[in-house]
Amino acid sequence: MERISAYQAGLIGVVCVVAITAIHVPAQMMAFAKQHIYLSCLAGALVSAFSLWLLSRISFRFPQHDLFEALITRFSAFGRIISFSYLLFFFFVLVRDIRVVTDFTNLFMLQRTPVIVLALLYVISAVLIARGGIEILARMTELFVPIMIILALFFPLLLAKFVNFAAFQPLLDVDWTGVGLGTWYVIPYIGEIILLPFLFVKQTFRARHGLSGLFLGTFLLLIVLVMELLVLGVEITPRMLFPTYALARQIEITDFLDRLDLFMFSLYLPTVMIKISYSLYFICHGLRRVVPRIDAKVVAAPVGLLAMSCSFWFFRSIVGVINLQHLWTGVALIFILVIPLLLFLILRPKSAEEA
């Protein structure tokens, strides 16, 4: 069994929470939550924390198994159905992430490069990383995620001269319906942290490891969201596809360093690549649990290429991903909240009589 440290487990949680969410969700959230977008982010984190706690308690009942093994060992047919359902859920997450990062790169960095070439480069990289195993992924996370954390922490300092605190007004006039809709958009993204108990056994993963990554990632996400609110404003942010990039474009350090956005996102994009690799590894790892004869390393390339094909088949452009978001949350909540709650109630080791 490949092992990771508690520090690495926390960083994996940060990747799941921040990597795609920071560039893709803020515009939709602010369109509804407006100046109280931070409340939506906190509410989404609390829902995800509850789900993570449920799954960690289930893992505690099966200390020698990850959740895939626990499900299949306890309920052979039903466990495989649930496991395969989670594989389909994260396959769609993989498809969506490939489309988001491909369009983002094509729009702002490599406009003349065909989208299919960019997608192929991302998928090939993800396949090679996922084939290396979870320890290689964790070491890459340990290298690049601290850089992403430092970038987020420096945002308020670098953008201080553009801040307009009047954007928080009216502070006490909370539109709870708007906050609820903002939460609706962010939950499926923050909730992807539930992959942790499926990958690691109890000795490797504990609830506090996942929760520390969840809350650190939420804190970094709050920094980005609040800076977009204070710098770009409530009216402008919802009209942008990628407001986080527009926020980074505001950063200037003398006339010579007026395009720090390219440098910052060149450091940030490896983190997005790692996030895609975790989704791919999750699917391959789960397939090996559901069908033991499958070699996880062998299926990584076919699954990655299928996901790339589906990213163009399912979505004509990034606009298609945005249009699906209000429906996607309803599906995601089944896997993030409903199924974990049911498993918490029914998934227990066999009693002495049953054994």
Side-chain angles (χ1 to χ4, degrees):
M1 172 69 69
E2 295 179 296
R3 300 296 297 270
I4 64 168
S5 66
Y7 172 67
Q8 290 172 330
L11 291 181
I12 294 172
V14 174
V15 169
C16 295
V17 172
V18 179
I20 292 294
T21 313
I23 61 172
H24 182 51
V25 184
Q28 290 73 47
M29 289 179 65
M30 198 172 296
F32 295 100
K34 300 189 183 299
Q35 70 270 22
H36 299 103
I37 190 171
Y38 57 91
L39 294 177
S40 295
C41 188
L42 292 173
L46 289 176
V47 173
S48 301
F50 177 64
S51 176
L52 194 62
W53 179 82
L54 290 174
L55 294 175
S56 67
R57 297 307 299 172
I58 298 171
S59 296
F60 188 80
R61 301 169 186 168
F62 300 87
Q64 304 300 322
H65 303 288
D66 59 46
L67 280 184
F68 281 124
E69 291 176 311
L71 278 165
I72 294 170
T73 301
R74 186 65 182 87
F75 307 109
S76 179
F78 176 72
R80 281 182 165 82
I81 293 172
I82 295 297
S83 298
F84 191 73
S85 299
Y86 271 97
L87 296 184
L88 291 178
F89 172 70
F90 275 95
F91 178 79
F92 190 87
V93 170
L94 176 62
V95 169
R96 181 206 67 201
D97 290 351
I98 291 173
R99 187 70 207 195
V100 169
V101 71
T102 300
D103 278 23
F104 174 81
T105 307
N106 182 251
L107 284 171
F108 297 114
M109 296 185 179
L110 300 171
Q111 293 91 344
R112 297 185 179 182
T113 305
V115 177
I116 186 68
V117 174
L118 293 174
L120 190 60
L121 290 174
Y122 277 116
V123 168
I124 290 174
S125 301
V127 168
L128 294 176
I129 296 171
R131 283 172 59 92
I134 195 63
E135 288 188 1
I136 300 299
L137 260 169
R139 290 170 188 167
M140 292 186 65
T141 303
E142 200 171 6
L143 175 63
F144 286 105
V145 173
I147 297 175
M148 182 187 70
I149 294 173
I150 292 171
L151 290 175
L153 293 176
F154 268 93
F155 258 35
L157 179 63
L158 296 173
L159 293 165
K161 65 179 181 179
F162 300 107
V163 167
N164 176 21
F165 286 102
F168 273 128
Q169 301 299 323
L171 183 61
L172 300 180
D173 184 17
V174 181
D175 179 5
W176 293 108
T177 301
V179 170
L181 288 171
T183 305
W184 179 264
Y185 277 93
V186 78
I187 281 177
Y189 291 85
I190 298 180
E192 289 167 21
I193 197 172
I194 62 170
L195 64 76
L196 288 173
F198 285 91
L199 297 181
F200 308 117
V201 298
K202 173 183 171 292
Q203 288 83 348
T204 300
F205 169 76
R206 296 179 183 272
R208 63 176 182 270
H209 303 156
L211 291 175
S212 63
L214 172 63
F215 291 126
L216 176 56
T218 302
F219 174 69
L220 299 177
L221 191 58
L222 279 172
I223 292 176
V224 175
L225 294 174
V226 170
M227 292 310 299
E228 288 175 0
L229 171 65
L230 297 179
V231 175
L232 300 178
V234 174
E235 300 299 329
I236 296 178
T237 302
R239 301 176 184 274
M240 296 181 174
L241 278 177
F242 299 104
T244 306
Y245 182 79
L247 182 68
R249 285 290 303 269
Q250 304 298 315
I251 298 175
E252 296 179 0
I253 303 178
T254 76
D255 293 336
F256 177 69
L257 296 175
D258 62 346
R259 287 305 306 271
L260 274 180
D261 54 291
L262 296 177
F263 173 72
M264 295 176 70
F265 276 94
S266 67
L267 297 175
Y268 171 74
L269 284 178
T271 308
V272 178
M273 168 74 348
I274 291 171
K275 165 65 167 59
I276 292 174
S277 301
Y278 275 116
S279 296
L280 179 59
Y281 177 83
F282 177 94
I283 296 167
C284 298
H285 173 79
L287 283 173
R288 183 164 60 90
R289 294 291 191 231
V290 175
V291 186
R293 289 175 292 180
I294 287 181
D295 188 335
K297 293 185 177 181
V298 172
V299 300
V303 170
L305 290 174
L306 177 61
M308 184 193 72
S309 301
C310 290
S311 70
F312 292 99
W313 180 28
F314 293 170
F315 309 109
R316 290 175 178 260
S317 67
I318 189 65
V319 177
V321 181
I322 295 172
N323 290 338
L324 187 66
Q325 278 184 229
H326 65 286
L327 295 175
W328 172 239
T329 303
V331 176
L333 281 175
I334 296 174
F335 296 93
I336 294 172
L337 198 58
V338 177
I339 294 179
L341 186 58
L342 292 176
L343 293 180
F344 178 76
L345 297 175
I346 67 174
L347 186 58
R348 300 177 184 275
K350 291 183 178 179
S351 62
E353 292 83 5
E354 291 177 315

